[in-house]
Amino acid sequence: MSTSALRAAMIPVTRRVRAYFAPVDRVTGLPAVFDPAKHGMFLLDAPPAPWRDLGWIDNLQRTCATATEAIHAGARGATLTQFRGPLDARVEFDFREWGKLQMALAGGAEHMNVLAADPNANAQPSGGIPIPAVAVLPGSSESEVIFGEGAVDAFSIGDLLAIDVDYQQQAGYVSTGVVAAYVKDPLDVRRDANYVRRVTFNVGRVVGKTATSVLLAQPLLGGVPPVGAAAQKVTAFVDREGGSFFQDWSALFVLQEESGGRVCFYYPRLSPSAGGKDTVTFQRENSVEIAKPIASVALHASFVALPHTDENDTETVLCYRSYFPAETSALY
Amino acid sequence: MQFAKDSFYMALRERLGSLNPARTVMVDGATRPTVIVAENELPSPASPLPDAFYIDWGSARVVQNHAGSRALAALDCVISYCTSGTTGSEVDRGRTLGTLGGELFSICQPPQTRKQDFTRIPSVDLGTSIFWTLPELSEIRSSLSGALTSGGDAGRHARMERRALLTVFFFFEVTLL
């Protein structure tokens, strides 16, 4: 009988991949950080701040296009040494669940909230002149928005709301909490006071009401409504092919552990990119058959990784792969 | 799952009530559209009522590769109906069976309805819809003195019946971990 010790299993097994995103600070350029020591084995339904759960994804493909160059020397031209050429890493996958964030990330440019329009307004593909906003009162929180008696009657349970400040005719990034667009010239947005609410990520669905306020199903992404905020009804979301703005988010992908070991992929900065160097066409949606002709529709997302400097050694890197071995598993 | 079953039944029942108000049946003293969920009725050895749609639920499963935070489930359904015709001579039994088939296709359209909790009054919308495949009709079967036959000579017997197969899809109320 053999007495040699068995080596514990070392194979990560997974069933699905879950995606989490967090906004990059566009002013400082600082990404959201995934620290394996602090956040590693978090409950998948309760990601640590500031990460947002964007649900299960399919067809995750991480590709590396970083070239390894070589210096050849000697009479036979042997490789003397190697170095890394231009860094290039890409990520593609399908969002299986649709929402404001999923659409914005898959679309890549400004993502529009179609504000409920005045019935007499001219038709516009991203929404015409909207019904006037209702002012948000102080004391509101990210989950309860106070309008006051009477004013709250403008909204009903089930309504989608965009909640943010009026556009102040400034040039630069706009929206509260999460940057949603960049305005080069106020004339570009027709000095529209509603412009910020047309693009803001601060959207919520009304699930309850009090005499003076509405209660939201999910907290506002940008946090507590700022002073001067107002709310308007949203009827739909729109993204567009084109636009000059690029979304810039940190991303974390977690392979759901089945056998104990967890694998995470952390990208400090991902920027939307319509396919790699060799991609001729780019499919925006994928159809996943349920039973012919019924199919679900998945949002295809494609990104290029932007560089980040690791403070521990000042190396420039694009992504991190972390592995949390299963308890008692062998290490090599 | 029960919410999906109830919502499907209520949709077909209400649609039949609008499409053909005369197609009703008296069950336990109450007149209602002739859509009957077999498992909801008192057990009975009696033959199914003629000119009525009987819903029987079959196997259920999670649809592979379609799990978001909520799993997409598939539930097989059999809707059977039979007739002896509307005249004493029973010579219109084939036409009546065809009419029933046409009504079944009609009430299955549109192939989706809101999922609701009918255990509460008024019912509560649960936020998603259920949807289903179009009915797939099996061959006609007929019976004479209780013996079932099918195929080419089925039309020779007095009572003709047909089964329609479809699959109902819905999102489970359970969150997947």
Side-chain angles (χ1 to χ4, degrees):
Chain A
M1 187 177 78
S2 169
T3 57
S4 63
L6 280 174
R7 200 168 64 148
M10 300 164 64
I11 302 171
V13 177
T14 189
R15 193 183 302 254
R16 298 185 292 177
V17 183
R18 193 127 162 193
Y20 304 87
F21 280 76
V24 169
D25 185 324
R26 301 299 286 263
V27 178
T28 63
L30 290 175
V33 175
F34 171 69
D35 180 341
K38 289 178 69 175
H39 310 132
M41 294 297 283
F42 66 90
L43 291 173
L44 296 184
D45 283 333
W51 296 98
R52 302 285 177 177
D53 180 6
L54 271 65
W56 301 105
I57 59 171
D58 271 354
N59 304 321
L60 174 68
Q61 293 182 62
R62 299 183 336 111
T63 52
C64 166
T66 300
T68 302
E69 311 285 358
I71 294 175
H72 301 271
R76 303 296 300 274
T79 300
L80 189 66
T81 188
Q82 291 192 114
F83 62 95
R84 291 194 172 82
L87 295 179
D88 189 0
R90 292 171 184 275
V91 185
E92 289 190 45
F93 59 87
D94 293 328
F95 281 117
R96 297 304 304 275
E97 297 175 308
W98 288 53
K100 169 79 182 172
L101 282 181
Q102 290 90 337
M103 280 188 77
L105 288 160
E110 304 92 344
H111 187 258
M112 315 290 287
N113 306 312
V114 181
L115 303 178
D118 182 323
N120 298 319
N122 289 336
Q124 294 286 347
S126 58
I129 296 173
I131 296 168
V134 179
V136 173
L137 299 183
S140 298
S141 70
E142 57 189 9
S143 299
E144 180 177 8
V145 184
I146 303 171
F147 296 106
E149 274 186 43
V152 75
D153 296 338
F155 305 115
S156 307
I157 290 175
D159 282 350
L160 291 177
L161 304 187
I163 300 165
D164 215 322
V165 294
D166 284 355
Y167 175 57
Q168 300 294 322
Q169 312 304 315
Q170 76 274 32
Y173 292 117
V174 296
S175 182
T176 301
V178 182
V179 166
Y182 185 89
V183 181
K184 293 188 289 293
D185 183 334
L187 289 175
D188 291 345
V189 296
R190 299 181 303 157
R191 299 188 178 279
D192 178 8
N194 304 298
Y195 179 70
V196 179
R197 286 182 291 275
R198 289 189 192 277
V199 294
T200 184
F201 283 95
N202 291 318
V203 293
R205 185 182 290 282
V206 179
V207 289
K209 286 180 73 174
T210 69
T212 58
S213 66
V214 299
L215 309 175
L216 303 179
Q218 296 166 291
L220 294 169
L221 281 170
V224 176
V227 174
Q232 282 167 295
K233 262 191 229 180
V234 174
T235 57
F237 296 128
V238 163
D239 64 17
R240 304 172 297 183
E241 192 72 48
S244 55
F245 180 75
F246 278 85
Q247 300 284 344
D248 194 353
W249 291 70
S250 303
L252 174 66
F253 304 100
V254 181
L255 309 189
Q256 182 186 29
E257 62 271 19
E258 298 287 336
S259 61
R262 173 179 287 189
V263 178
C264 301
F265 306 119
Y266 164 54
Y267 289 83
R269 292 180 66 192
L270 283 183
S271 185
S273 169
K277 288 175 183 167
D278 302 326
T279 305
V280 179
T281 58
F282 179 71
Q283 202 159 351
R284 285 289 188 190
E285 298 90 23
N286 284 323
S287 173
V288 186
E289 184 178 312
I290 295 172
K292 249 180 180 175
I294 305 170
S296 64
V297 182
L299 279 168
H300 188 66
S302 176
F303 301 92
V304 63
L306 302 185
H308 171 69
T309 302
D310 191 316
E311 288 185 15
N312 281 335
D313 57 6
T314 67
E315 289 283 5
T316 299
V317 298
L318 300 180
C319 60
Y320 296 77
R321 175 171 59 196
S322 28
Y323 172 52
F324 302 85
E327 220 172 301
T328 74
S329 75
L331 299 185
Y332 57 87
Chain B
M1 184 182 302
Q2 191 60 48
F3 297 136
K5 291 158 76 173
D6 291 345
S7 300
F8 180 75
Y9 161 66
M10 290 300 289
L12 265 56
R13 173 181 156 145
E14 288 169 7
R15 292 174 188 183
L16 183 63
S18 299
L19 177 73
N20 185 356
R23 196 171 294 288
T24 57
V25 66
M26 179 87 79
V27 178
D28 295 334
T31 301
R32 63 192 207 199
T34 56
V35 177
I36 298 165
V37 180
E39 67 186 26
N40 293 349
E41 304 299 329
L42 291 171
S44 168
S47 297
L49 295 169
D51 307 321
F53 298 105
Y54 278 84
I55 295 174
D56 284 282
W57 296 107
S59 60
R61 60 205 167 275
V62 170
V63 181
Q64 292 299 310
N65 299 322
H66 282 277
S69 53
R70 296 287 176 90
L72 180 65
L75 179 59
D76 291 333
C77 174
V78 177
I79 302 175
S80 51
Y81 52 97
C82 64
T83 186
S84 299
T86 58
T87 63
S89 65
E90 301 173 340
V91 294
D92 67 341
R93 59 192 183 283
R95 291 175 184 277
T96 306
L97 196 71
T99 301
L100 285 164
E103 288 181 359
L104 178 62
F105 268 101
S106 294
I107 63 177
C108 286
Q109 300 277 355
Q112 68 275 136
T113 190
R114 299 293 294 173
K115 188 168 73 169
Q116 298 184 70
D117 177 359
F118 288 100
T119 63
R120 292 194 256 175
I121 299 173
S123 62
V124 176
D125 190 305
L126 296 174
T128 58
S129 292
I130 66 168
F131 49 95
W132 52 86
T133 57
L134 290 179
E136 193 177 314
L137 301 186
S138 66
E139 65 179 3
I140 297 170
R141 301 196 305 172
S142 68
S143 61
L144 182 65
S145 305
L148 281 174
T149 62
S150 61
D153 62 349
R156 297 180 190 171
H157 304 303
R159 185 179 171 108
M160 302 171 71
E161 71 173 67
R162 179 107 77 177
R163 290 155 57 91
L165 312 177
L166 55 84
T167 303
V168 178
F169 298 95
F170 61 95
F171 289 101
F172 258 127
E173 292 78 28
V174 177
T175 300
L176 289 184
L177 300 177

